[in-house]
Amino acid sequence: MIKKLLPLLLAIVALSLVGLSLGATDVPHMWRYIFHPFLEPQTSAHQIIWQIRAPRVVAALLVGAALGITGSMAQSSTNNPLADPAILGTSAGASLGVLIGVVTNVVTVGSVGAVLCAAIGALAATLLTFSLARSALQLITIGIGVSAILNAIVGLTISAINRPEARSISFWSFGSLALVTPENLMIFAPILIIGSICAWKVAPRLDLLSLGDASVRHIGFNAQRIRLISFAILATLVAASVSTVGSIAFLALAAPHIARFIYGPRNRTLVVYSAAVGAIILLLADTASRALIPPMELPIGLLTSLIGAPILILTLKRSGDVWR
């Protein structure tokens, strides 16, 4: 697995350096400051690279990895290749959870409390979708309906409330890394580490779900309990992502398919490779959003779709699936 992972790690390092070097402002002696991070910390060049760009690069890697993991878990736990946090209602539930917390003055944006509110909303929405569905097709259609309802509630609430902190949540509709701070990353990183370990531990159980619930019961495991654990991990990671950078479209759907085609369907390795692919896609999208038409910044959710969708189409096209 290390040999297969090495090219992805090298790509992450290379793209991280590119992300530090590109932006709305030209930095003199840029590479000097990049390779000497403690050099002249009071200069504007150092501050642009290490206080503005670096947190965004780190956030893109962490959030991309989290979304890649959530996508692989959503697809494996539901046995549905179209499942992802946005379609299952998880992302919309997380946004609504944070909004309720902010409006009621219980939490502030980016805090640990916001992550908790988002987790409760995400898990509740995911369980609602799954409890109402009776087939793979219903899971997708009901999930789309639940997402639409929750997103409508969030949009109407933001429009109706005349409070700056509530209106600031509107940036989550498209996702943005522009407001990420080192403090946000200090909260997000431990959640990602713990969630990744839990996902890696539960991954072998997700392999069993492909056999069907009846077969899982025959070998002594509870399929619904496996799904509930997966949904709890998934909801926590989505909550941390949404409360930090908002809703990022398409990435959680595309990354697992790309990783599965290249590295195989075994869930324990799929968790690792989906995280790496997700990190690369989001880092590419964020760098492009800052560098394409400076000083303007493009919506990152649109760019993740633009980058991930063609790769996903080509991947599935080459997989050889045909109509039956």
Side-chain angles (χ1 to χ4, degrees), residues 48-319:
I48 289 171
I49 292 173
W50 292 108
Q51 295 184 23
I52 297 177
R53 295 179 186 175
R56 291 189 65 148
V57 169
V58 175
L61 293 175
L62 297 182
V63 173
L67 292 178
I69 292 171
T70 61
S72 68
M73 295 195 72
Q75 292 166 15
S76 298
S77 61
T78 60
N79 278 332
N80 193 317
L82 295 179
D84 87 326
I87 293 176
L88 293 178
T90 311
S91 298
S95 295
L96 181 60
V98 179
L99 180 62
I100 292 173
V102 171
V103 169
T104 56
N105 294 317
V106 175
V107 300
T108 58
V109 175
S111 65
V112 176
V115 175
L116 181 60
C117 288
I120 294 172
L123 183 59
T126 306
L127 292 177
L128 175 63
T129 299
F130 194 77
S131 64
L132 293 175
R134 293 294 179 268
S135 66
L137 178 61
Q138 281 192 5
L139 183 71
I140 298 302
T141 53
I142 290 175
I144 292 172
V146 170
S147 293
I149 292 171
L150 297 181
N151 282 325
I153 293 173
V154 170
L156 291 172
T157 304
I158 291 173
S159 300
I161 293 178
N162 187 23
R163 288 175 54 184
E165 62 269 31
R167 289 183 176 275
S168 68
I169 301 175
S170 62
F171 86 98
W172 287 344
S173 299
F174 300 103
S176 174
L177 276 67
L179 303 181
V180 171
T181 65
E183 290 74 20
N184 297 146
L185 298 179
M186 293 292 289
I187 296 172
F188 184 85
I191 296 174
L192 173 60
I193 292 171
I194 295 171
S196 300
I197 293 172
C198 293
W200 191 78
K201 294 285 286 184
V202 79
R205 300 288 185 267
L206 295 178
D207 289 328
L208 300 177
L209 295 182
S210 62
L211 303 174
D213 287 14
S215 298
V216 173
R217 284 195 298 271
H218 285 317
I219 57 179
F221 292 97
N222 187 325
Q224 291 299 88
R225 183 171 180 270
I226 296 172
R227 288 194 181 93
L228 184 60
I229 294 172
S230 299
F231 288 159
I233 299 169
L234 184 156
T236 303
L237 290 175
V238 169
S241 300
V242 169
S243 62
T244 303
V245 302
S247 298
I248 305 294
F250 199 77
L251 194 153
L253 176 64
H257 279 289
I258 297 168
R260 189 179 291 110
F261 173 72
I262 299 173
Y263 301 107
R266 186 168 170 263
N267 274 286
R268 179 158 277 184
T269 55
L270 187 62
V271 165
V272 177
Y273 292 125
S274 295
V277 172
I280 289 172
I281 292 176
L282 189 54
L283 183 54
L284 274 172
D286 182 59
T287 302
S289 73
R290 293 184 284 118
L292 286 178
I293 49 173
M296 293 181 60
E297 183 173 320
L298 298 173
I300 194 171
L302 301 181
L303 288 172
T304 54
S305 298
L306 188 62
I307 294 171
I311 299 174
L312 176 61
I313 291 170
L314 291 174
T315 299
L316 296 180
K317 186 72 175 175
R318 292 185 60 186
S319 67

Side-chain angles (χ1 to χ4, degrees), residues 40-52:
E40 301 174 354
Q42 301 305 318
T43 60
S44 60
H46 182 280
Q47 292 173 2
I48 289 171
I49 292 173
W50 292 108
Q51 295 184 23
I52 297 177

